[in-house]
Amino acid sequence: MQARIALRRFGTAADLDGALLLLASDAGAYITGTTIVVDGGHGLRGSETLNAGVAMDFSLPPDVENVRQRVATFVRERVMPIEADRSNWDEHENIRDDVLAKLRAEVKAQQLWAPQIPAALGGLGLPAVGMAACYEAMNESIFGPACFNCAAPDDGNMMLLAKVGTPAQQARWLAPIVEGRVRSSFAMTEPHPGSGSDPAMTLTRAERRGERWVVHGRKWFITGAAAAAHFILVAKTSDDPRKGLTAFMHHRDDPGWHIVRRIPIMGPEEHGGHCELEYEGLEIPDENRLLGVGDGLKVTQIRLGTARLTHCMRWLGLAKRSLAIALDYTAMRRTAGGRALAALEGVQRMLAEAAMDIEIGRLLTMRAAAKLDRGDFARKEVSMAKVFVADTLHKSVDVALQLNGARGYSEDTVLEWIYRYARQARLVDGASEVHKGVLARFLQQERGDFWRWDTPPA
């Protein structure tokens, strides 16, 4: 007799117990596809259903895999050749705007534009899991994300406005960013003692006067500000510790604010750099407020939760690119003492450890993405991914640079670019120490439940 137990996506303990009893018999069993086949089982009648671990599925849906492959092909065939010619770079080590415009037109023609944005708003509407796969493929080139309109800070601002903006706000403030006609910034961080990783420390104030808000204060390290037209501003509107912040939108042409300076950094830079801003009486109509008065902290949490994870998605692409450069050079060219460098045990250990860390980072990122797709805030998972992937990016490019020797330290490859970029990963969107503090609080509160398994909905 042969009985077949079909696997369903979600299951119950009773179903699983029955299957385990079945397999514990002296029957022979094997698995084929999504079916457990038992030959000669005792006490089996017809088919029984086993609801086993199919929910923990690491494969990509065919439609997502199709987009990922097309993104990877475009990056390999169109973006990387552009990246290899430094005449295509601007003075801040990013892709020149005119070159970028041509590539963006090609991306739109191939219907790969803004995969993170709902289709109704002009994107592809990929879930977070699909974004993770595609963002990773994009950032195997240092210029990849910008070509698909998936570079920070625009992607985070677009996702925020898509979630919380009113239809009128989306038409005015979101649509031009999605279409690639303007760039945007998120103005939150301030000089000490103002807000850094903790938005609650915000000192910039917005005072209500009728139907307008008047803003005074200073922001700094505002990514993309020199090139941005649309700004999302977080300001203090009361002294309430939880409901004291409010988020607003303003345009670069509005009077009452200015860019103090473009702050020099180690580089490389995003388009528009990292700027210090001063608000000296900027007036914002109340209709340009995001969510309710006092919902500013909620706005930052909505924006930064997903944005932190999109950083991880992109950083994994850069980490993989770094190892690819190392493999090409060590495997194909370099020798030491008459032996191929890639054959040395120490080199193999360096490559293997970096490769394992990249895979662990991918799993952490995908787990967080899957929870976001289910409507969970995934605070623990995002924090774990943010800390681990930031370290992994730095480790991977450091290994690649070391194995390339002087070549890695030169501008003959993009390793030195990635190496400098990687150092900021442990600072942006919450320093690693802040995220570890978040994880420690969860551990103290949850104890053994910190590691609980996900369970399917009833």
Side-chain angles (χ1 to χ4, degrees):
M1 169 181 117
Q2 184 181 86
R4 292 180 176 267
I5 304 174
L7 297 180
R8 289 206 307 258
R9 181 163 293 275
F10 298 112
T12 67
D15 291 327
L16 183 57
D17 287 343
L20 293 175
L21 285 172
L22 181 154
L23 294 175
S25 71
D26 59 358
Y30 61 94
I31 298 176
T32 173
T34 59
T35 300
I36 296 180
V37 180
V38 182
D39 294 309
H42 301 291
L44 284 175
R45 287 181 290 275
S47 297
E48 297 182 33
T49 300
L50 168 63
N51 298 317
V54 177
M56 195 173 291
D57 185 355
F58 297 100
S59 60
L60 293 176
D63 54 342
V64 171
E65 173 60 10
N66 175 266
V67 175
R68 187 203 65 80
Q69 288 185 3
R70 291 165 57 210
V71 167
T73 298
F74 187 88
V75 169
R76 183 176 61 253
E77 296 180 356
R78 294 293 299 123
V79 185
M80 285 188 180
I82 295 293
E83 172 202 284
D85 182 354
R86 292 217 171 209
S87 69
N88 294 315
W89 297 33
D90 67 16
E91 66 272 26
H92 300 291
E93 301 179 285
N94 211 319
I95 186 171
R96 279 186 8 227
D97 279 336
D98 59 324
V99 178
L100 177 61
K102 294 177 182 178
L103 288 174
R104 284 183 154 195
E106 294 181 36
V107 168
K108 289 180 179 179
Q110 294 197 22
Q111 298 183 331
L112 294 172
W113 183 254
Q116 77 280 22
I117 299 302
L121 296 174
L124 299 184
L126 289 187
V129 166
M131 288 166 52
C134 293
Y135 272 46
E136 179 185 295
M138 288 173 197
N139 217 170
E140 291 197 32
S141 167
I142 61 175
F143 296 153
C147 296
F148 297 86
N149 204 10
C150 294
D154 284 338
D155 70 325
N157 294 337
M158 285 187 279
M159 287 185 281
L160 171 65
L161 292 172
K163 289 177 181 176
V164 306
T166 66
Q169 289 173 337
Q170 290 174 350
R172 179 179 178 184
W173 299 100
L174 172 61
I177 312 173
V178 173
E179 294 164 8
R181 291 188 284 115
V182 304
R183 294 195 176 109
S184 63
S185 275
F186 187 75
M188 184 187 78
T189 54
E190 300 175 345
H192 183 77
S195 64
S197 296
D198 181 3
M201 297 174 65
T202 297
L203 297 178
T204 298
R205 298 195 71 97
E207 297 181 2
R208 188 162 194 167
R209 298 179 186 172
E211 290 302 305
R212 304 181 77 81
W213 296 84
V214 181
V215 182
H216 289 87
R218 188 171 287 245
K219 302 288 184 178
W220 75 345
F221 290 100
I222 305 306
T223 304
H230 292 183
F231 289 77
I232 299 172
L233 166 69
V234 178
K236 193 170 186 176
T237 51
S238 80
D239 293 326
D240 187 296
R242 296 296 299 174
K243 301 287 287 183
L245 301 179
T246 304
F248 305 92
M249 293 168 291
H250 74 87
H251 193 274
R252 69 180 169 203
D253 294 336
D254 294 336
W257 78 285
H258 69 280
I259 295 177
V260 176
R261 60 177 176 141
R262 181 168 177 153
I263 304 170
I265 65 170
M266 284 172 61
E269 293 187 293
E270 285 84 359
H271 289 102
H274 305 270
C275 299
E276 184 171 358
L277 319 179
E278 185 170 10
Y279 292 89
E280 44 197 1
L282 169 68
E283 295 187 11
I284 301 176
D286 188 58
E287 66 187 27
N288 294 343
R289 168 176 40 83
L290 271 178
L291 294 182
V293 176
D295 283 337
L297 187 58
K298 180 179 180 180
V299 168
T300 63
Q301 289 172 336
I302 292 171
R303 186 198 182 278
L304 295 178
T306 306
R308 286 172 179 134
L309 201 62
T310 59
H311 275 314
C312 295
M313 300 169 188
R314 288 186 291 259
W315 293 341
L316 288 165
L318 290 177
K320 288 173 62 180
R321 175 72 181 284
S322 299
L323 280 201
I325 294 171
L327 286 169
D328 288 344
Y329 197 51
T330 58
M332 303 300 294
R333 304 184 189 181
R334 297 202 72 187
T335 60
R339 297 177 62 191
L341 201 62
L344 299 180
E345 183 178 350
V347 171
Q348 292 175 348
R349 185 180 301 114
M350 294 166 70
L351 291 170
E353 289 177 354
M356 285 191 297
D357 283 352
I358 291 173
E359 183 66 3
I360 294 168
R362 297 175 89 205
L363 293 173
L364 286 170
T365 300
M366 275 297 189
R367 174 167 162 78
K371 295 196 79 166
L372 289 175
D373 282 337
R374 293 199 297 271
D376 196 301
F377 284 114
R379 290 195 66 199
K380 284 191 308 189
E381 291 75 15
V382 170
S383 284
M384 282 189 276
K386 169 66 172 61
V387 172
F388 190 86
V389 176
D391 288 343
T392 295
L393 172 58
H394 191 272
K395 177 179 181 178
S396 299
V397 68
D398 188 69
V399 164
L401 195 153
Q402 188 74 10
L403 293 178
N404 273 262
R407 177 176 182 260
Y409 200 67
S410 75
E411 293 186 353
D412 283 358
T413 74
V414 293
L415 288 176
E416 60 82 29
W417 189 104
I418 299 173
Y419 188 84
R420 287 180 288 125
Y421 179 86
R423 186 56 188 87
Q424 70 170 306
R426 304 210 305 270
L427 295 171
V428 298
D429 283 3
S432 293
E433 291 75 15
V434 172
H435 289 287
K436 290 176 183 178
V438 169
L439 294 171
R441 288 194 294 275
F442 273 110
L443 179 61
Q444 290 163 357
Q445 294 166 6
E446 299 175 349
R447 295 187 174 267
D449 283 343
F450 183 91
W451 299 280
R452 63 183 175 270
W453 296 107
D454 294 338
T455 55

